[in-house]
């Protein structure tokens, strides 16, 4: 009679005690290891270019980072960030790297906005549109783009009422000069090449150097 | 000292929990697609296994045995394991969010990983003392991690190779696991 009573009481007490100890331990751990927000999204947000350009179809960089962290978005949607950012995101999340879908973002070198200062009327519309405050100017005064700040998000060009903004590749300097790409099979018609060489504001000596092969191949210069 | 080394060799190679005793096959198949994830899973399991085998030894010999409550060992061990897993999950979520994301559902599933409960119960049946239990649990976990990483590396190479269509994915993985198990049988008889 007494034997089984003691053993059942002991069993109940032991298990209540164990549950209490483990409950307290887990309760302490829940406070100690509290996670604010989604740390993965914050890590991704840090490597994004913060242009808030919306080209990923999300309203900004933070919502895109959260979508990637949740696994709802692909890693390759950030066009201003390009392939470098895609690789960083895939390293953070452990997801497979994917080719950039927008081919232009990958093949074109990074472009920045240029304002044709003779045409600019000083309307400040582009200043309002710029997500990174890279455009300098005031009302009725000429505007210009701070090249080192411009991320090439292409948000200012459509809002310009006089169409004086165009996107150009950065000018070639000692820091970013590269050997010309091998031109085995010309895939671009020669007219287009000569046009682009005229458009780009390259130093004339450098232009000759780099496009030497291409321009000698084309019949018209 | 030699005894503990023998326990380690026995649990890691000769009586490997995954390939010889066929315990813990769920994460073995589930989290072995990438070496990083397999290593993370192995380390998480190592932590849980070592701690839970020690905890379950303490619970068994200081709480259950004196009161003649050995028949409640399974429930008590599961309680201890679940607490350790819950703690590990919170710690990983805080310290390594990417690993937390990769491990996903398999992290809480360590609770029901039969290798973890298996180690706790085997400690009882083999009458291991405190240190032996700790080494037994740690060795089992190291063996688990070793096999996980080896298998994940194999699967990464298989992914890159030309597998006949009917064998792609899970079938070739199961065949690989079978071949690995046969290879580990080569250690049989070295230590008990």
């Amino acid at each position: 009679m007494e034997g089984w009573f003691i053993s059942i009481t002991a069993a109940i007490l032991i298990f209540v005690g164990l549950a209490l100890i483990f409950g307290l331990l887990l309760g302490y751990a829940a406070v100690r290891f509290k996670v604010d927000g989604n740390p993965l999204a914050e890590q991704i947000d840090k490597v994004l270019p913060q242009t808030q350009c919306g080209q990923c179809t999300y309203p900004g960089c933070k919502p895109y980072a959260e979508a990637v962290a949740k696994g709802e978005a692909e890693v390759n949607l950030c066009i201003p960030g390009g392939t470098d950012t895609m690789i960083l995101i895939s390293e953070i999340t452990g997801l497979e790297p994917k080719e950039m879908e927008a081919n232009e973002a990958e093949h074109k070198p990074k472009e920045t906005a240029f304002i044709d200062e003779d045409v600019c009327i000083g309307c400040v519309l582009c200043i309002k549109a710029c997500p990174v405050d890279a455009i300098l100017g005031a009302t009725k005064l000429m505007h210009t783009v701070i090249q080192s700040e411009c991320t090439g998000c292409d948000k200012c060009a459509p809002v310009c009422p006089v169409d004086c903004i165009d996107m150009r590749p950065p000018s070639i300097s000692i820091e970013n000069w590269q050997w010309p790409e091998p031109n085995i099979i010309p895939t671009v018609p020669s007219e287009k090449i000569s046009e682009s060489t005229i458009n780009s504001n390259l130093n004339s000596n450098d232009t000759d150097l780099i496009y030497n092969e291409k321009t000698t191949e084309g019949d018209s210069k | 000292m030699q005894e503990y080394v023998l326990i380690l060799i026995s649990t890691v190679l000769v009586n490997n929990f995954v390939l010889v005793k066929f315990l813990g096959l769920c994460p073995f198949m589930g989290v072995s697609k990438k070496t990083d994830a397999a290593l993370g899973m192995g380390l998480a399991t190592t932590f849980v296994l070592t701690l839970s085998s020690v905890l379950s030894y303490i619970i068994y010999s200081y709480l259950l045995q004196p009161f003649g409550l050995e028949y409640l060992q399974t429930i008590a061990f599961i309680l201890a394991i679940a607490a350790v897993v819950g703690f590990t999950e919170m710690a990983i979520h805080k310290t390594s969010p990417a690993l937390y994301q990769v491990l996903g559902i398999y992290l809480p599933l360590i609770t029901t990983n039969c290798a973890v409960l298996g180690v706790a119960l085997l400690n009882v049946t083999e009458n291991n003392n405190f240190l032996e239990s700790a080494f037994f649990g740690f060795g089992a976990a190291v063996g688990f991690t070793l096999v996980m990483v080896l298998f994940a590396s194999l699967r990464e190479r298989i992914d890159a190779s030309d597998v006949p269509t009917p064998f792609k994915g899970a079938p070739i993985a199961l065949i690989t696991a079978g071949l690995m198990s046969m290879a580990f049988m080569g250690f049989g008889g070295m230590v008990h």
Side-chain angles (χ1 to χ4, degrees), chain A residues 29-90:
Chain A
V31 178
R32 173 77 179 72
F33 296 114
K34 197 170 167 52
V35 178
D36 296 321
N38 191 340
L40 198 60
E42 272 158 35
Q43 278 185 23
I44 297 169
D45 195 42
K46 265 185 198 161
V47 301
L48 291 174
Q50 301 302 331
T51 54
Q52 322 297 345
C53 65
Q55 289 180 73
C56 53
T57 70
Y58 289 88
C61 292
K62 185 98 192 192
Y64 173 54
E66 275 162 9
V68 175
K70 274 187 209 157
E72 287 167 358
E74 300 281 358
V75 294
N76 61 347
L77 298 181
C78 184
I79 290 168
T83 312
D84 297 341
T85 306
M86 183 273 294
I87 290 168
L88 282 176
I89 295 174
S90 66

Side-chain angles (χ1 to χ4, degrees), chain B residues 96-181:
Chain B
S96 172
L99 184 63
Y100 182 79
Q101 186 115 1
V102 169
L103 294 180
I105 186 68
Y106 292 101
L107 196 54
L109 275 182
I110 298 178
T111 317
T112 52
N113 185 341
C114 42
V116 183
L117 183 62
V119 167
L121 291 175
L122 279 172
N123 271 331
V124 171
T125 49
E126 294 191 5
N127 282 324
N128 287 338
N129 64 26
F130 182 81
L131 262 184
E132 281 171 350
S133 305
F135 272 91
F136 194 72
F138 181 69
V142 170
F144 180 80
T145 312
L146 173 78
V147 168
M148 285 285 285
V149 173
L150 287 178
F151 189 52
S153 320
L154 279 173
R155 278 184 85 170
E156 275 186 0
R157 293 194 67 157
I158 288 170
D159 276 348
S161 57
D162 185 24
V163 180
T165 322
F167 289 108
K168 271 200 177 121
I172 193 73
L174 286 168
I175 292 171
T176 314
L179 289 174
M180 275 181 82
S181 179

Side-chain angles (χ1 to χ4, degrees), chain A residues 35-198:
Chain A
V35 178
D36 296 321
N38 191 340
L40 198 60
E42 272 158 35
Q43 278 185 23
I44 297 169
D45 195 42
K46 265 185 198 161
V47 301
L48 291 174
Q50 301 302 331
T51 54
Q52 322 297 345
C53 65
Q55 289 180 73
C56 53
T57 70
Y58 289 88
C61 292
K62 185 98 192 192
Y64 173 54
E66 275 162 9
V68 175
K70 274 187 209 157
E72 287 167 358
E74 300 281 358
V75 294
N76 61 347
L77 298 181
C78 184
I79 290 168
T83 312
D84 297 341
T85 306
M86 183 273 294
I87 290 168
L88 282 176
I89 295 174
S90 66
E91 274 172 6
I92 292 170
T93 55
L95 297 169
E96 289 287 324
K98 271 196 167 182
E99 292 247 323
M100 296 300 290
E101 257 167 32
N103 293 332
E104 290 169 22
E106 196 167 20
H107 293 310
K108 265 193 217 165
K110 195 181 139 190
E111 288 192 328
T112 50
F114 270 81
I115 294 177
D116 189 342
E117 287 157 5
D118 299 331
V119 189
C120 177
I121 55 170
C123 67
V124 301
L125 283 176
C126 57
I127 294 181
K128 285 176 188 163
C130 182
V132 289
D133 279 345
I135 300 176
L136 207 65
T139 318
K140 306 239 170 132
L141 290 170
M142 184 190 75
H143 301 344
T144 195
V145 178
I146 306 165
Q147 291 304 319
S148 57
E149 296 292 320
C150 179
T151 56
C153 70
D154 206 12
K155 283 207 140 181
C156 48
V159 299
C160 181
V162 289
D163 272 345
C164 71
I165 303 176
D166 60 340
M167 306 300 291
R168 296 177 185 175
S171 55
I172 302 232
S173 65
I174 289 170
E175 278 84 29
N176 61 6
W177 182 84
Q178 285 184 335
W179 287 99
E181 284 184 22
N183 194 9
I184 304 159
I185 306 158
T187 49
V188 191
S190 54
E191 294 147 44
K192 238 184 175 177
I193 292 171
S194 53
E195 209 178 273
S196 69
T197 47
I198 292 162

